[in-house]
Amino acid sequence: MLANIALQTVLKSSVGVFRGSGCSALTAAPRLTGGCFAIPPPVRHYARVVKKKKTGPESQLSDLPPTMLKSGYAAVPLSQTTDDVVKRLLSLELASHSDKLQLKKEQLIAKVQRDENDYTSVEVRVAMLTAKIRNFQEHLQKHNKDKSNKRRMLMDIDRRKKLLKNLRLVNYDAFEKVCEQLGITYSFPPEYYRRVTHRWLAKKALCIKVFQEVQKQKAEQRLMMQSLAPADPKAAKTA
């Protein structure tokens, strides 16, 4: 009976404070322990640690100044004398990512193309694939679970490898120039592709052991033939 009366008084009071405990009745519900009410200790909610932002590699578009005009308006003489607002609209400051990527492709193509009208040579195709591959790499740094774009990037890498391999066989000077201008590190493919399994390793070890035993037998046969042969072959012929 006394417990019910005490519970009613606690619920009716809006800011009831128990003696000996430094918290109010609103912070936690009272519990009946040993015939008297007790309030559990308050829960401390600590502030979360601020996560540090991951700093990825520098973007290939970071070297493009925002005041540069887009690729379609750079050669127009009227764009140089227009108002500042129009220049801002035609510049890279308000341009989309695709416009910036197109300008970067043109810059890479200008480094390796054979002449001004060259847009189909192997060097130009390697430059275009390089810009696309680097764009995919920057995208996958932020969205590492994007499997479709990762597959497209790997396909472009394979195409570029084939083009560089053929260019290296046909024109080595152009191959060196392309790798130097575009910052490409060419790695030679392995001579032999095979999936390593336990069965293949055991078979390889057995073949090596058999080969060594055959070589030992051949060496013993040579020593035996040398011991049976006469010391002076001319004397044997005269006899």
Side-chain angles (χ1 to χ4, degrees):
M1 184 68 180
L2 294 174
N4 293 333
I5 294 171
L7 181 61
Q8 290 177 2
T9 56
V10 168
L11 295 177
K12 286 180 180 179
S13 61
S14 60
V15 191
V17 181
F18 287 91
R19 293 179 181 179
S21 63
C23 61
S24 62
L26 296 177
T27 57
R31 292 181 299 175
L32 183 61
T33 56
C36 61
F37 288 93
I39 297 178
V43 180
R44 298 180 182 273
H45 298 283
Y46 294 99
R48 294 182 180 179
V49 180
V50 179
K51 293 184 179 180
K52 295 182 179 179
K53 293 184 178 180
K54 296 181 179 179
T55 57
E58 189 177 359
S59 174
Q60 65 171 345
L61 307 178
S62 59
D63 60 341
L64 298 176
T67 56
M68 182 184 292
L69 296 177
K70 297 179 185 178
S71 59
Y73 304 98
V76 179
L78 186 61
S79 61
Q80 305 295 335
T81 58
T82 53
D83 191 11
D84 293 339
V85 179
V86 179
K87 281 186 178 180
R88 189 180 177 189
L89 291 172
L90 301 179
S91 64
L92 296 180
E93 185 179 357
L94 302 176
S96 61
H97 182 78
S98 59
D99 294 336
K100 295 179 181 178
L101 184 61
Q102 182 64 29
L103 187 58
K104 174 55 71 173
K105 282 183 182 180
E106 292 180 359
Q107 289 182 356
L108 294 179
I109 288 170
K111 291 181 179 180
V112 298
Q113 64 183 167
R114 299 173 185 175
D115 52 52
E116 296 180 355
N117 299 323
D118 179 23
Y119 291 99
T120 57
S121 62
V122 179
E123 295 91 331
V124 172
R125 284 187 285 170
V126 169
M128 294 175 66
L129 288 173
T130 301
K132 288 178 63 178
I133 289 167
R134 290 173 182 171
N135 184 42
F136 282 132
Q137 288 174 348
E138 294 168 9
H139 174 76
L140 291 173
Q141 288 288 335
K142 301 177 183 178
H143 312 281
N144 54 353
K145 294 186 178 181
D146 193 350
K147 305 299 181 183
S148 59
N149 280 323
K150 184 177 181 180
R151 177 176 172 272
R152 295 188 186 99
M153 182 188 71
L154 295 176
M155 290 171 65
D156 289 339
I157 289 174
D158 290 338
R159 292 192 191 101
R160 190 178 68 173
K161 278 184 179 180
K162 292 179 182 178
L163 292 173
L164 288 173
K165 181 180 178 181
N166 295 332
L167 184 62
R168 182 174 175 270
L169 295 175
V170 174
N171 191 350
Y172 190 79
D173 295 335
F175 166 77
E176 282 189 336
K177 179 185 175 183
V178 168
C179 292
E180 181 181 358
Q181 294 293 332
L182 301 180
I184 300 173
T185 303
Y186 182 77
S187 58
F188 295 96
E191 297 180 357
Y192 186 67
Y193 294 92
R194 180 155 186 166
R195 183 184 174 187
V196 178
T197 59
H198 292 288
R199 181 178 179 182
W200 181 78
L201 290 174
K203 186 177 179 181
K204 184 179 179 180
L206 178 63
C207 292
I208 292 172
K209 188 175 181 180
V210 170
F211 176 75
Q212 292 175 353
E213 291 294 331
V214 171
Q215 294 297 321
K216 286 182 181 179
Q217 291 179 4
K218 288 183 178 180
E220 291 175 358
Q221 289 178 2
R222 288 195 214 97
L223 291 175
M224 188 180 297
M225 294 295 294
Q226 290 177 3
S227 62
L228 293 177
D232 190 2
K234 293 183 180 179
K237 286 183 181 180
T238 55

